[in-house]
């Protein structure tokens, strides 16, 4: 049985308890982070901790502990659960209070939960080797997607629609342009240029995105941060997604149309390799 972390305690998962009055449960009043683990090391931990602090600040919440203490909790769970390849999930909510739309005053103790998920084959993934198929759906999420809140019902519905249409995932479209995948950032390769949507409130500022764009520029690849359409993506030479749980994963089909020759392309393959090499070297 896994050991999970709940509000200062390390307990077997069956003994972990959160209040029914928790505002994460009642209002989705909470934020989360997912940090991947490779070779028992945490990948891009500093970026995830920094984004957590920003998400919390946007919701008028403080960090429940500093980044070093957070790192120690992550490490202890990875070690106690013997995670070699997998994820650490972290969630912080405003805490438990009598149900009221207004934030409780004084603020209750925040709820802090972390657990691990073992994912053998995360790095050596069949989806990355084969490429994934996506379908487009309208982006019907709220407008502050830069805050990593736990209100994930629409992305979850999008994933189900994709499955129902015989695909692996969905790309969301707003005002004619792709915003992002249900749980990843979206990219195309046009000529010799990697194109991905510019940052703003419309998308999550992916930690993997930041690392991959930096590595692409360091490798002298051209990068353009701008919006693109599904039609442009279907005519691109390559497409791919990035996230903490998929790293760089090629997209080989969009709404039934093959991208390029319908197989994973060299840019996505190279970026995945570079990312994984650096991740393994710099994991904490
Ligand atoms: N999802 N966009 C959305 C909507 C996401 O949910 C995610 C991450 C990303 C990629 O961000 P990052 O590179 O920091 O993981 C982009 C995580 C993995 C999840 O919900 O499981």
């Amino acid at each position: 049985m896994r050991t999970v972390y709940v509000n200062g305690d390390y307990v077997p998962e069956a003994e972990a308890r959160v209040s029914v009055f928790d505002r994460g449960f009642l209002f989705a009043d909470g934020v989360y982070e997912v940090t991947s683990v490779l070779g028992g090391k945490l990948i891009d931990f500093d970026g995830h901790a920094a984004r957590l602090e920003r998400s919390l600040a946007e919701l008028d919440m403080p960090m429940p502990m500093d980044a070093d203490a957070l790192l120690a909790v992550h490490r202890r769970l990875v070690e106690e659960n013997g995670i070699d390849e997998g994820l650490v999930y972290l969630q912080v909510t405003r805490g438990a209070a009598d149900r009221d739309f207004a934030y409780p005053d004084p603020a209750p103790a925040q709820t802090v939960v972390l657990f691990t998920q073992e994912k053998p084959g995360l790095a050596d993934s069949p989806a990355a080797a084969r490429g994934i198929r996506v379908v487009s759906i309208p982006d019907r999420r709220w407008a502050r997607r830069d805050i990593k809140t736990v209100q994930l019902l629409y992305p979850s519905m999008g994933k189900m629609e994709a499955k129902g249409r015989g695909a692996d995932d969905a790309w969301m479209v707003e005002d004619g342009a792709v915003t992002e995948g249900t749980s990843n950032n979206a990219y195309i390769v046009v000529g010799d240029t990697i194109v991905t949507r510019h940052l703003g409130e419309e998308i999550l500022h992916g930690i993997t995105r930041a690392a991959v764009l930096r590595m692409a520029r360091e490798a002298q690849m051209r990068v353009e941060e701008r919006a693109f359409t599904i039609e442009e993506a279907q005519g691109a030479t390559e497409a791919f997604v990035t996230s903490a749980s998929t790293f760089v994963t090629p997209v080989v089909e969009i709404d039934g149309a093959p991208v390029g020759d319908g197989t994973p392309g060299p840019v996505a393959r190279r970026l995945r390799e570079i990312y994984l090499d650096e991740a393994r070297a710099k994991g904490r």
Side-chain angles (χ1 to χ4, degrees), residues 32 34 48 51 141 148 180-185 204 206-209 242-245:
Y32 77 109
V34 174
H48 290 286
R51 186 174 61 192
R141 296 173 298 165
K148 198 165 172 60
E180 59 189 332
T182 57
S183 59
N184 44 59
N185 291 115
L204 184 74
I207 301 306
T208 320
R209 176 188 182 281
T242 68
S243 76
S245 50

Side-chain angles (χ1 to χ4, degrees), residues 73-143:
V73 178
H74 279 70
R75 281 182 167 156
R76 178 157 165 192
L77 285 181
V78 167
E79 193 178 317
E80 283 203 18
N81 293 317
I83 306 297
D84 180 55
E85 274 190 39
L87 310 168
V88 180
Y89 176 91
L90 154 93
Q91 180 168 328
V92 180
T93 80
R94 200 177 303 278
D98 208 23
R99 186 175 182 275
D100 186 346
F101 282 77
Y103 296 169
D105 184 17
Q110 286 166 295
T111 299
V112 183
V113 167
L114 286 91
F115 58 81
T116 56
Q117 282 184 307
E118 201 165 4
K119 303 256 178 192
L122 195 64
D124 208 5
S125 114
R130 178 179 69 230
I132 61 167
R133 289 168 299 171
V134 304
V135 292
S136 61
I137 61 169
D139 197 335
R140 295 201 173 121
R141 296 173 298 165
W142 80 325

Side-chain angles (χ1 to χ4, degrees), residues 11-91:
V11 295
E13 61 182 74
E15 288 170 27
R17 295 282 179 273
V18 173
S19 167
V20 295
F21 297 107
D22 193 274
R23 288 181 58 92
F25 180 58
L26 298 178
F27 291 99
D29 188 0
V31 302
Y32 77 109
E33 284 294 333
V34 174
T35 304
S36 59
V37 178
L38 287 178
K41 300 268 190 242
L42 295 152
I43 307 309
D44 274 333
F45 176 82
D46 295 351
H48 290 286
R51 186 174 61 192
L52 173 68
E53 184 163 9
R54 179 182 181 278
S55 292
L56 288 166
E58 290 297 315
L59 301 176
D60 295 329
M61 278 191 267
M63 281 281 267
M65 60 184 95
D66 67 24
D68 285 342
L70 215 49
L71 176 61
V73 178
H74 279 70
R75 281 182 167 156
R76 178 157 165 192
L77 285 181
V78 167
E79 193 178 317
E80 283 203 18
N81 293 317
I83 306 297
D84 180 55
E85 274 190 39
L87 310 168
V88 180
Y89 176 91
L90 154 93
Q91 180 168 328

Side-chain angles (χ1 to χ4, degrees), residues 3 25 40 45 106 120 129 131 137 153 155 175 202-203 209 239 245-246 257 262:
T3 296
F25 180 58
F45 176 82
I137 61 169
L153 185 55
D175 299 332
E202 301 78 18
I203 63 168
R209 176 188 182 281
S245 50
T246 61

